[in-house]
């Protein structure tokens, strides 16, 4: 079985599930999902800049409404459960957990514990972080010792 650690920041859409579960053709894949809610990952200014860069001005205005702290954790728990259920329904094995702090330290630990074959980072674009190579995928490439694939979410959850 091929083992992937999947880092996400929101619930997977059906298009996302189909995309990640078909990356390796007919090979059986098991996923270890790590979800850090977007509200805990970046400050509001960076999120607003990303929204503006994507032409999503309405989203930039609403960045102040993005849940943070305990509220983000509750939203994250629901998003994780939805994602795990969707992966399992597609026939994949899946388990997961929320990440509260230090996502790359947690990622490295999970890769080592599970003997993962790869890491897939599936998020919305984060142009500021990506430009400065501070996004999850860029930083993980120097830390985890397995291939890291950066994918963009197909649509809003």
């Amino acid at each position: 079985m091929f083992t992937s650690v999947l880092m996400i920041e929101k619930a997977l859409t059906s298009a996302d599930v189909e995309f990640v579960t078909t990356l390796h053709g007919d090979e059986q894949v098991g996923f270890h999902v790590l979800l850090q809610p977007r509200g805990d990952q970046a400050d509001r200014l960076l999120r607003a800049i990303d929204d503006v860069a994507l032409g999503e001005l309405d989203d930039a205005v609403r960045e102040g409404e993005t849940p943070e702290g305990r509220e983000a954790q509750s939203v994250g728990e629901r998003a994780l459960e939805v994602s795990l259920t969707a992966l399992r329904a597609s026939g994949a094995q899946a388990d997961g957990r929320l990440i509260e702090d230090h996502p790359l330290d947690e990622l490295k630990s999970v890769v080592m514990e599970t003997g993962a074959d790869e890491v897939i980072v599936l998020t919305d674009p984060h142009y500021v972080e990506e430009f400065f190579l501070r996004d999850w995928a860029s930083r993980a490439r120097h830390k985890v010792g397995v291939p890291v694939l950066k994918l963009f979410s197909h649509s809003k959850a």
Side-chain angles (χ1 to χ4, degrees):
M1 175 181 302
F2 197 83
T3 304
S4 295
V5 177
L6 179 59
M7 290 190 68
I8 59 176
E9 61 189 0
K10 64 182 183 179
L12 296 173
T13 65
S14 57
D16 293 333
V17 170
E18 182 179 351
F19 192 41
V20 298
T21 57
T22 59
L23 282 173
H24 300 289
D26 293 333
E27 189 167 0
Q28 181 74 15
V29 180
F31 292 95
H32 299 279
V33 180
L34 301 177
L35 185 142
Q36 183 179 43
R38 187 173 182 192
D40 289 350
Q41 171 189 322
D43 70 359
R44 289 180 183 161
L45 177 60
L46 290 178
R47 293 192 315 256
I49 291 170
D50 287 338
D51 290 336
V52 170
L54 290 168
E56 297 170 352
L57 300 179
D58 291 341
D59 289 344
V61 172
R62 287 192 294 271
E63 279 301 335
E65 300 168 10
T66 299
E68 295 189 4
R70 291 246 184 250
E71 188 179 340
Q73 185 175 1
S74 173
V75 170
E77 288 168 353
R78 288 191 305 273
L80 179 60
E81 189 55 41
V82 164
S83 299
L84 293 175
T85 299
L87 287 167
R88 291 172 186 147
S90 75
Q93 292 182 8
D95 63 36
R97 60 185 172 216
L98 288 183
I99 304 171
E100 294 183 28
D101 296 311
H102 311 292
L104 295 177
D105 292 339
E106 186 78 16
L107 173 64
K108 184 176 181 178
S109 294
V110 170
V111 167
M112 290 174 61
E113 290 168 15
T114 63
D117 298 298
E118 71 179 355
V119 170
I120 300 172
V121 176
L122 180 70
T123 64
D124 287 334
H126 297 293
Y127 293 117
V128 175
E129 288 98 340
E130 289 167 20
F131 180 79
F132 291 106
L133 302 178
R134 301 301 303 157
D135 60 299
W136 283 344
S138 296
R139 291 172 30 209
R141 286 186 179 105
H142 303 286
K143 192 163 190 141
V144 298
V146 297
V148 176
L149 180 60
K150 169 71 174 161
L151 302 174
F152 292 123
S153 299
H154 280 78
S155 61
K156 297 214 178 253

